[in-house]
Amino acid sequence: MRRVQRRTAVGFIALLALLLPTALPAAASPPSRDDVIVLDGAKSAEGIAAGKGKTFYAGELMTGDIFRGDLRDGKAKRFIDVPKGRMAVGMKADVRKDLLYVAGGGNGKAYIYNTETKATVADLTLTTKKGSFINDVVLTDDGAWFTNSKYGELYQVKVSRWGEVRKAVRTLTVKGEAGAALAPADFGLNGIAAAKDDHVLIVAHTKNKALYRVNPWNGDSIRIKGLDLEFVDGILVQGNTLWAVQNMANKISRVKLAGDLSSGTVRDVITSKHFDVPATVAKFGDTLAAVNAQFNRPASPHEVVLVPARD
């Protein structure tokens, strides 16, 4: 039975005002092939994570509910009906431990769900700072890192090899340009990825239209040169290739990173006629799956758009 929508129009409009840039560029021409999977019943969306095989998970932004879909049959439906008061922003799945890590948005929290039992494994308070927005997450060998788009901070949650979550959260203050104070309307740290065997974190900074290398031990940040990524949101890294979702620009830039991660070059721009403010992306072989957030036009249905990865 479909659940009654749990948000008010006023609350949703307020969040959109926080997330929404001021201008929407015209959509670019579509790629050679693409496809769409509808998140059946979703009233909002933002995050996506690759699961086992062709399975993916996507989040209903405002309610926090988790959808599960499959690229093979092109369908997705509500999978985890979470307790009232949660949100679901960026997410990543650990398929070995059957765990789904979810950034909790405006309540300063993170959630971890068991994808076999649907149970909440952890409900973690990352910060109590007013106005925080926990936006995205990346997995590392010993747990996960979460970003805060309103403060120059990252949060590390450690998880044992058996899937036991440590309740103590480590706060890392980001130093330098990437960690600079923000105006109330600005979004800073956004998407996050790990590189160099987890010895380096790469973070997207929406306001600065930039990517930064961040030292996970001391928080030092260094800008990755050569890039100007307007509306940069979620990112994905494999080797020296990085995909940067540029939400309001309705495109994904494929970036070639230098071996030392000091610079990057946009090698390709991926577009689709179906993009409607894509926010985050997951990869399945040679296919990218990007979720449409529709920040500029809160509407339904919400969709996952499939486009070539162009490795």
Side-chain angles (χ1 to χ4, degrees):
M1 180 176 180
R2 184 173 296 179
R3 186 169 49 85
V4 176
Q5 187 177 342
R6 295 195 300 247
R7 58 169 174 79
T8 65
V10 172
F12 191 51
I13 292 170
L15 180 67
L16 289 175
L18 177 67
L19 295 175
L20 183 62
T22 56
L24 177 63
S29 58
S32 58
R33 68 176 180 87
D34 48 35
D35 205 357
V36 168
I37 300 174
V38 174
L39 300 176
D40 188 22
K43 302 299 183 183
S44 58
E46 217 273 3
I48 188 168
K52 295 177 181 178
K54 298 296 184 180
T55 300
F56 68 86
Y57 301 94
E60 191 168 46
L61 174 65
M62 296 304 299
T63 69
D65 280 359
I66 306 301
F67 285 69
R68 184 173 68 178
D70 195 299
L71 268 62
R72 290 167 296 192
D73 63 17
K75 297 179 181 179
K77 62 182 181 180
R78 200 176 303 272
F79 177 60
I80 304 177
D81 189 351
V82 309
K84 185 177 180 179
R86 297 185 182 182
M87 295 179 67
V89 196
M91 57 181 64
K92 292 292 187 300
D94 185 337
V95 297
R96 296 172 300 177
K97 301 184 180 74
D98 297 319
L99 297 177
L100 181 69
Y101 297 70
V102 180
N107 59 17
K109 289 195 170 190
Y111 307 103
I112 304 176
Y113 301 103
N114 185 300
T115 54
E116 291 295 315
T117 67
K118 305 183 185 181
T120 300
V121 174
D123 177 346
L124 302 165
T125 298
L126 303 182
T127 180
T128 58
K129 287 187 176 181
K130 184 178 180 180
S132 290
F133 193 87
I134 308 304
N135 201 323
D136 209 350
V137 56
V138 65
L139 304 188
T140 58
D141 283 343
D142 58 354
W145 286 91
F146 294 82
T147 60
N148 187 338
S149 290
K150 306 304 289 183
Y151 294 92
E153 294 180 347
L154 302 176
Y155 310 100
Q156 185 184 33
V157 174
K158 291 197 173 184
V159 180
S160 75
R161 67 181 65 182
W162 300 280
E164 298 171 341
V165 182
R166 297 183 185 177
K167 294 183 179 179
V169 175
R170 177 192 169 206
T171 299
L172 178 70
T173 299
V174 178
K175 302 173 185 176
E177 187 178 84
L182 297 163
D186 289 338
F187 252 46
L189 304 177
N190 199 324
I192 185 170
K196 302 292 184 182
D197 296 324
D198 300 340
H199 294 297
V200 178
L201 299 175
I202 299 177
V203 294
H205 195 290
T206 304
K207 179 180 182 296
N208 294 348
K209 308 176 187 179
L211 302 176
Y212 293 87
R213 309 190 322 264
V214 176
N215 184 313
W217 289 278
N218 62 21
D220 287 344
S221 69
I222 301 175
R223 189 172 185 138
I224 296 177
K225 298 178 181 178
L227 299 171
D228 183 8
L229 301 171
E230 188 174 29
F231 305 122
V232 66
D233 199 331
I235 60 174
L236 174 67
V237 173
Q238 286 189 352
N240 280 20
T241 300
L242 180 148
W243 289 266
V245 183
Q246 295 172 253
N247 54 36
M248 300 298 291
N250 281 317
K251 65 184 182 181
I252 300 172
S253 288
R254 182 174 63 83
V255 175
K256 181 68 173 179
L257 297 169
D260 60 359
L261 306 181
S262 63
S263 63
T265 304
V266 175
R267 293 291 179 85
D268 200 359
V269 175
I270 302 165
T271 62
S272 169
K273 64 183 179 182
H274 299 300
F275 279 166
D276 192 353
V277 194
T280 53
V281 67
K283 188 172 182 287
F284 299 83
D286 62 356
T287 298
L288 296 179
V291 65
N292 276 339
Q294 300 181 13
F295 293 145
N296 64 313
R297 184 177 56 81
S300 188
H302 286 264
E303 306 150 334
V304 170
V305 180
L306 308 181
V307 292
R310 299 179 186 169
D311 297 89

